[in-house]
Amino acid sequence: MKSINKLFLVLLTGILFSCENQLDINTDPNSPTEITPGLALSAAQASLITVTGGDFSNLGGFYAQYHTQAPTAGQYETIDQYNMDTSYANRTWTELYAGCINDLEFVITESNKTGDTGGVLIGTALKAYTFQLLVDVFGDVPYTEALQGVNNITPKTTEGSVIYLDLIAKIDAALASYKANPVTTSIGKQDNIYESDMDQWVKFANTLKLKMYLRMAYTSLANPTKVNTLLAENDFLESDAKFSNFGTGLNQRNPFYEVQMIFLGDVNNVASNSLFEFYNINEDPRLESVFRANSAGAYLSISQGSGDTFNNLASNYSRPNIKADTPVYLLTVAESNFLQAEALIRYGGGAGAKAKYEEGVKTSFETYGLSRALATPFLATGGVYEYISGSGIEATVRQVIIQKWASLAYINNMEAYIETTRTKFPEIVTKASANYALGNRIPSEISVLSGNTVPSILYYPDNETERNPNIKQHLNLTQKVWWDKK
């Protein structure tokens, strides 16, 4: 199946980068009778990782301030300016709706027909992951009226909070059905994430639920009871959820690598001071896992958005350390531990949070290919990452989120940006007052927004708003999604 799955990746990477697919979100690509749930799942996973590991990895890297626009290049200057137009998301929206979600709907429907409770759980969990991502970056999106084909070609949007609650309910139902009748799915190794290891998919579903509940932390829907129930069950991720079925040939490679490094020549993305100096000042060895040395073998970065002020080649600076076969991650064990740590601080009186925080840092080192033992001195008494309790919920949570931010670089850049939006950590401060050792971001030096304001949402794609009168465009990029209340 590897050759088939790589073919999907070839097609999807080409679609995402080279053209604006004109499919409507209600188009059903699953009518051919030869499509099986396994093939549809492979296609859905390829669509999802092409977006999260491609366009969204690039965008999230700018917004989380992992990288910035290189001097003497300008491909992504509008992103660094916070000045994107309404055409930015045309490809990603289409790929997630017409590609990923439609295929997952097929997986769920066909698995239900055959009583394949395992297939239903996999499809449901990934569908929830994808819809959550859409809500987190676009706000209200078509949901209850979506996927109806010709019966409704102009679906209305559903409130993000309603979508969240319904997604959790569907995950719960799929988990209950599987546990009541644990059918081993026939999808097998066509599942490129866990090869249909259902124990891992149950853990993925529980971790996703915890993430969704914590998105609600600053809203009236915050639910300590549900969170504490999940914590008591303690059935969370033990293996990174990643797509690693990449090759070294043309269009078989990691999507960020394929576009940024091969097609565009590795000239745009250079290390931002915000993350680079956090690692550098703290002597964190993850620096050399996240970034490459420059052409002279040195590690250098620039201030966010400062590339317009001087001339120099990208090769004079550190750049993302993405290789052809670098996996694309959906959820990691490190992120799971940080989620548990935050939940224990917010809803459990802090008991056990220190252990989860420290395990999060150690497993982050492992995800970057480093020994977990290297993290120990950082976490010891007096270490720069020592866990300090008793300073209030937000101050304690801040420690967790800073380490989550440091652990998501080129693992899941968009998730890092979403979490900075939710928690406001790392804080955005003026360049003159930035303390990079503690974790700070600054307004991009070429920002078109005032003060310390940064984008908190994406525009709906214009190829959707122009055809669907029920989707009203956001007024600006500073509107907030439903859970953004802090």
Side-chain angles (χ1 to χ4, degrees):
M1 280 312 300
K2 285 189 176 181
S3 60
I4 294 176
N5 296 332
K6 287 176 182 175
L7 176 59
F8 281 126
L9 190 61
V10 169
L11 295 174
L12 293 169
T13 302
I15 288 170
L16 273 177
F17 183 72
S18 64
C19 68
E20 293 183 2
N21 194 310
Q22 294 302 307
L23 290 173
D24 185 82
I25 63 170
N26 296 284
T27 301
D28 182 5
N30 297 309
S31 56
T33 57
E34 67 271 22
I35 297 296
T36 66
L39 286 172
L41 181 66
S42 290
Q45 290 174 342
S47 288
L48 179 57
I49 65 92
T50 301
V51 172
T52 59
D55 280 359
F56 276 1
S57 183
N58 185 51
L59 175 65
F62 279 100
Y63 281 3
Q65 298 195 4
Y66 296 155
H67 56 237
T68 187
Q69 179 66 65
T72 68
Q75 183 83 19
Y76 302 117
E77 191 166 278
T78 56
I79 295 179
D80 233 357
Q81 291 176 321
Y82 311 140
N83 195 28
M84 290 188 301
D85 62 26
T86 56
S87 68
Y88 168 79
N90 284 342
R91 295 186 298 268
T92 55
W93 178 278
T94 298
E95 196 58 50
L96 291 177
Y97 267 108
C100 180
I101 292 173
N102 257 321
D103 286 331
L104 291 172
E105 188 70 9
F106 179 84
V107 172
I108 295 166
T109 300
E110 294 302 306
S111 295
N112 269 320
K113 288 179 182 178
T114 60
D116 183 353
T117 56
V120 172
L121 177 57
I122 295 172
T124 300
L126 285 175
K127 183 179 174 184
Y129 184 99
T130 307
F131 263 118
Q132 181 198 359
L133 178 62
L134 284 162
V135 170
D136 290 349
V137 297
F138 292 107
D140 301 344
V141 296
Y143 180 72
T144 56
E145 293 189 5
L147 308 176
Q148 295 180 16
V150 296
N151 293 322
N152 186 351
I153 61 172
T154 57
K156 295 178 181 177
T157 59
T158 303
E159 290 182 14
S161 59
V162 174
I163 296 173
Y164 256 59
L165 294 178
D166 192 63
L167 292 175
I168 291 173
K170 284 182 167 55
I171 295 172
D172 283 339
L175 281 168
S177 293
Y178 175 74
K179 290 176 180 178
N181 181 27
V183 174
T184 300
T185 179
S186 61
I187 288 170
K189 292 187 177 181
Q190 288 174 302
D191 166 22
N192 286 283
I193 308 297
Y194 286 128
E195 296 187 346
S196 297
D197 183 334
M198 293 312 302
D199 287 343
Q200 297 303 322
W201 277 111
V202 169
K203 295 176 187 300
F204 178 95
N206 286 327
T207 307
L208 178 60
K209 284 171 57 182
L210 180 60
K211 183 172 80 166
M212 296 177 74
Y213 278 124
L214 286 175
R215 286 280 203 272
M216 306 177 190
Y218 299 104
T219 76
S220 61
L221 291 180
N223 197 325
T225 300
K226 293 288 188 181
V227 172
N228 282 320
T229 298
L230 279 171
L231 292 172
E233 292 171 353
N234 193 30
D235 196 15
F236 299 113
L237 222 61
E238 293 178 347
S239 175
D240 293 342
K242 63 184 179 181
F243 187 109
S244 55
N245 192 19
F246 297 113
T248 57
L250 179 65
N251 291 325
Q252 296 177 346
R253 298 170 284 222
N254 173 288
F256 185 95
Y257 181 93
E258 187 73 38
V259 174
Q260 305 305 331
M261 298 176 183
I262 299 302
F263 194 91
L264 294 176
D266 201 16
V267 298
N268 285 293
N269 307 95
V270 300
S272 169
N273 284 351
S274 300
L275 179 68
F276 182 96
E277 289 299 336
F278 174 82
Y279 288 146
N280 186 44
I281 297 169
N282 291 314
E283 300 182 352
D284 190 323
R286 287 179 290 184
L287 185 150
E288 294 187 18
S289 295
V290 171
F291 299 112
R292 291 169 287 148
N294 68 7
S295 55
Y299 287 86
L300 295 172
S301 61
I302 65 174
S303 181
Q304 192 74 31
S306 66
D308 263 3
T309 63
F310 58 96
N311 292 322
N312 219 335
L313 297 176
S315 58
N316 291 114
Y317 303 97
S318 297
R319 286 163 289 170
N321 191 20
I322 302 294
K323 300 179 176 66
D325 60 352
T326 298
V328 172
Y329 296 83
L330 299 181
L331 280 170
T332 67
V333 177
E335 184 180 353
S336 174
N337 278 291
F338 290 133
L339 288 167
Q340 293 171 70
E342 180 184 352
L344 289 165
I345 294 165
R346 290 191 184 282
Y347 307 125
K354 178 178 184 290
K356 292 298 182 181
Y357 165 84
E358 291 179 348
E359 188 64 14
V361 176
K362 291 175 182 177
T363 51
S364 169
F365 274 54
E366 288 182 316
T367 297
Y368 285 121
L370 301 168
S371 167
R372 63 187 284 123
L374 289 175
T376 302
F378 293 87
L379 299 168
T381 302
V384 290
Y385 300 153
E386 178 189 4
Y387 181 84
I388 306 295
S389 62
S391 53
I393 288 178
E394 285 302 299
T396 310
V397 165
R398 184 188 191 278
Q399 299 171 89
V400 176
I401 301 302
I402 293 299
Q403 282 302 320
K404 183 188 285 190
W405 173 70
S407 77
L408 286 170
Y410 306 104
I411 300 297
N412 193 329
N413 291 358
M414 203 62 176
E415 178 65 21
Y417 160 63
I418 293 166
E419 283 291 78
T420 66
T421 302
R422 175 179 74 94
T423 65
K424 308 301 182 278
F425 301 132
E427 298 89 343
I428 299 171
V429 299
T430 63
K431 182 180 178 181
S433 63
N435 186 338
Y436 290 130
L438 294 179
N440 278 159
R441 293 175 294 152
I442 64 171
S444 172
E445 293 189 25
I446 52 174
S447 172
V448 299
L449 303 178
S450 60
N452 290 352
T453 305
V454 297
S456 52
I457 205 165
L458 297 185
Y459 285 124
Y460 293 120
D462 55 21
N463 69 1
E464 189 61 33
T465 57
E466 289 170 1
R467 292 177 296 173
N468 185 352
N470 287 317
I471 296 183
K472 305 300 181 184
Q473 189 56 270
H474 303 307
L475 296 176
N476 53 57
L477 294 176
T478 63
Q479 288 187 226
K480 295 184 176 183
V481 300
W482 77 276
W483 43 253
D484 188 3
K485 301 295 185 181
K486 184 177 176 183

